[in-house]
Amino acid sequence: MRVIQDTVVIAAVEKMCIEANCHLCEDVKSAIEKGRKEETSPIGQYILDQLIENAEIADSCNMPICQDTGMAVFFVEVGNKVLIEGRNLTEAINEGVRRGYTQGFLRKSVVADPFFRENTKDNTPAVIHYEFTEGDRLKITFAPKGFGSENMSRLKMLNPSDGMEGVKEFVIDTVLKAGPNPCPPIVVGVGIGGTMEMAALLAKKALTKPIHEKNPVEYLDRMENEILEKINETGIGPGGLGGKTTALCVRILVYPTHIAGLPVAVNINCHAARHAEVVI
Amino acid sequence: MKNIVKLTTPLDPNRIETLRCGDFVEITGTIYTARDAAHKRMKEMLEKNMSLPFDLSGQIIYYAGPCPAKPGQVIGSIGPTTSGRMDVYTPLLLKQGLAGMIGKGKRSQEVIDAMIRYKSVYFGATGGAGALISKCVKKAEVIAFDDLGTEAIRRLYVEDLPVIVLIDCKGNKLYKEFDK
């Protein structure tokens, strides 16, 4: 067994929380810059220029790109030869979030109960998804999720006969309904298959994939490009004010499903598309 | 080069009438932040005939919940939140004299009808440009609901805050309808 101290996890999470919120990822930055070069709508160009300038200010002042520093979402891969000493892994991650959001002057956006809505004042609890893998390493992926885009996400249980066309239609319809609200240019995560909650989880996980990474499954890669093209033909544009840069990319993940079903979930992310990864 | 309209607060009703959707505007003066929880409380105060934490006449509400200020900063990142969630409360505030709103995203027909009726204007700030916008904020103080943290009502003094008129007082809209 390889022993990892809880303090190592806490420090890594604290650092990730601050960095992911203050520094736009290179893949996202280059996608926005590419969009700016290709954008023909003047108002679209104006919005993209503001976003580029905003990212530069955030980077140089070490301040959040967006005030909605999100609910802290984690995907954690735990090797079967890893032992965490001290606090359990969930507590360690939450302690890292607590410290990161406090030390980094990030916004605390979490309320303890969905009805009584009292702020927890340290942005905990995080939403953590675990996966168990071979080996002696711990891989933590962090994707803080703002709710301007989260609120525009949707899930539908399609019929198997709806097929690929039904899925494409649902994704595009979701983007059209969202319009300007999720802060376009957006990143679109799509989860297909599994059960209801598995589709949602896949859609969220899809948002953590680097933008320029080609989908290893050929038909999915084709589908991603087709949907992206259609989304960018809608004219929603940057900030929803018109243009062709509506989405930076579409990412699809699939999972085996039931003979009776075709669940599909669409999780929309804003143009900041924050994600970070660390391997311990 | 685009034409920029310079506005100061409180808003002059005659100036509001001249604003058209699509106008680029820079706002200088005092504005107030309020979002979900503060709107809920203001509605409850009005229902109990209590006076609001500030006089709404001619004023602008910015739908925003900032990040905390670091030492030496006036305020942390402060971009707009989605305005549509405030729609259920907005006609009530417009009736009280609220003259302008800054946010992002679509508004309901009820809000647009009330905007026409009370002659007010809805501006859009760029969603996700919180760091950029923070540089326009020169003063910030919490004036009510401190317990709400980021959702407290803040009085801000802004200089040349860049916004675009999304809906003017005639009900003209800049956003196209995509989901019809």
Side-chain angles (χ1 to χ4, degrees):
Chain A
M1 291 302 275
R2 177 177 167 233
V3 175
I4 299 175
Q5 292 298 324
D6 61 349
T7 49
V8 175
V9 176
I10 294 168
V13 168
E14 176 183 344
K15 188 162 175 255
M16 283 174 110
C17 287
I18 298 171
E19 295 208 337
N21 273 301
C22 299
H23 308 284
L24 192 65
C25 296
E26 278 306 317
D27 59 329
V28 182
K29 195 171 165 226
S30 69
I32 293 175
E33 282 165 353
K34 181 171 172 279
R36 173 62 183 86
K37 277 193 200 108
E38 293 166 6
E39 185 55 71
T40 49
S41 137
I43 199 160
Q45 291 172 349
Y46 166 79
I47 300 292
L48 292 172
D49 282 340
Q50 278 195 332
L51 298 184
I52 292 165
E53 192 189 343
N54 182 68
E56 284 165 2
I57 293 172
D59 189 59
S60 63
C61 300
N62 204 30
M63 69 190 288
I65 303 161
C66 175
Q67 75 291 336
D68 187 353
T69 48
M71 200 159 181
V73 179
F74 292 89
F75 288 92
V76 185
E77 290 178 22
V78 188
N80 60 351
K81 296 192 183 78
V82 169
L83 181 73
I84 309 292
E85 205 169 76
R87 270 168 271 211
N88 74 49
L89 191 48
T90 300
E91 283 175 16
I93 291 172
N94 275 312
E95 182 58 26
V97 168
R98 194 171 286 126
R99 291 186 193 180
Y101 275 73
T102 308
Q103 302 300 323
F105 294 87
L106 308 180
R107 195 177 82 178
K108 288 79 179 170
S109 311
V110 177
V111 292
D113 179 281
F115 293 106
F116 302 109
R117 308 195 74 81
E118 197 179 331
N119 199 300
T120 63
K121 298 192 163 66
D122 59 11
N123 221 53
T124 65
V127 176
I128 311 169
H129 307 289
Y130 292 103
E131 210 177 302
F132 299 94
T133 55
E134 295 287 318
D136 62 356
R137 296 190 307 174
L138 184 67
K139 181 174 155 190
I140 305 176
T141 304
F142 170 57
K145 192 65 174 71
F147 262 52
S149 55
E150 191 72 356
N151 283 339
M152 296 296 111
S153 304
R154 290 203 301 166
L155 185 145
K156 193 172 181 186
M157 304 304 281
L158 296 180
N159 286 324
S161 61
D162 292 322
M164 283 191 200
E165 286 311 308
V167 168
K168 286 183 209 164
E169 206 175 289
F170 180 66
V171 177
I172 291 160
D173 189 54
T174 301
V175 172
L176 288 173
K177 282 199 161 62
N181 290 14
C183 294
I186 55 176
V187 172
V188 184
V190 184
I192 307 167
T195 47
M196 187 194 77
E197 85 285 3
M198 179 54 108
L201 192 58
L202 292 173
K204 176 76 74 210
K205 198 173 184 184
L207 296 178
T208 65
K209 303 283 172 196
I211 284 187
H212 303 301
E213 194 180 86
K214 191 176 149 65
N215 196 312
V217 184
E218 208 192 316
Y219 87 91
L220 291 178
D221 187 62
R222 255 197 326 271
M223 228 171 132
E224 288 176 356
N225 290 324
E226 259 175 68
I227 296 173
L228 180 63
E229 203 172 305
K230 286 218 171 74
I231 290 174
N232 286 335
E233 281 167 7
T234 59
I236 294 171
L241 294 168
K244 57 185 183 184
T245 322
T246 302
L248 301 175
C249 84
V250 175
R251 304 312 311 262
I252 304 176
L253 289 176
V254 295
Y255 194 80
T257 190
H258 189 276
I259 47 174
L262 178 57
V264 54
V266 183
N267 197 193
I268 299 184
N269 211 352
C270 63
H271 54 70
R274 297 161 293 202
H275 57 94
E277 209 177 270
V278 68
V279 178
I280 299 170
Chain B
M1 188 61 203
K2 62 181 190 292
N3 201 26
I4 294 172
V5 181
K6 297 270 187 182
L7 275 186
T8 52
T9 62
L11 294 176
D12 171 355
N14 297 323
R15 285 301 300 278
I16 293 175
E17 294 223 39
T18 65
L19 296 171
R20 285 294 163 264
C21 85
D23 284 353
F24 287 84
V25 174
E26 285 179 358
I27 299 170
T28 295
T30 297
I31 63 173
Y32 296 86
T33 65
R35 49 171 294 155
D36 307 62
H39 273 75
K40 183 166 184 276
R41 286 202 188 168
M42 285 195 285
K43 176 178 180 263
E44 288 162 358
M45 290 173 93
L46 288 170
E47 280 167 355
K48 290 178 192 157
N49 288 318
M50 292 163 72
S51 54
L52 295 179
F54 63 103
D55 180 5
L56 290 175
S57 334
Q59 300 301 338
I60 295 178
I61 287 182
Y62 181 22
Y63 302 134
C67 286
K70 287 184 181 182
Q73 271 184 337
V74 174
I75 203 153
S77 290
I78 180 165
T81 194
T82 308
S83 312
R85 291 193 316 275
M86 267 49 78
D87 282 357
V88 290
Y89 307 108
T90 301
L92 193 66
L93 300 187
L94 291 171
K95 195 180 169 190
Q96 298 290 317
L98 178 67
M101 299 153 281
I102 306 171
K104 69 172 169 95
K106 298 175 275 192
R107 307 307 302 261
S108 68
Q109 194 55 48
E110 289 73 19
V111 169
I112 298 171
D113 291 343
M115 285 176 59
I116 297 169
R117 187 163 171 197
Y118 301 111
K119 294 216 179 315
S120 54
V121 56
Y122 171 46
F123 303 101
T126 301
L132 178 82
I133 294 169
S134 76
K135 300 296 171 196
C136 302
V137 180
K138 304 301 173 190
K139 278 185 218 160
E141 61 170 326
V142 172
I143 60 158
F145 313 147
D146 198 14
D147 61 302
L148 294 180
T150 186
E151 293 202 79
I153 294 183
R154 286 174 171 77
R155 183 190 288 129
L156 308 180
Y157 185 82
V158 296
E159 274 176 19
D160 299 328
L161 177 72
V163 294
I164 299 173
V165 177
L166 294 180
I167 306 175
D168 62 34
C169 70
K170 307 278 184 212
N172 300 304
K173 292 180 279 185
L174 188 60
Y175 289 135
K176 291 198 188 96
E177 299 289 333
F178 293 104
D179 54 346
K180 288 280 153 73

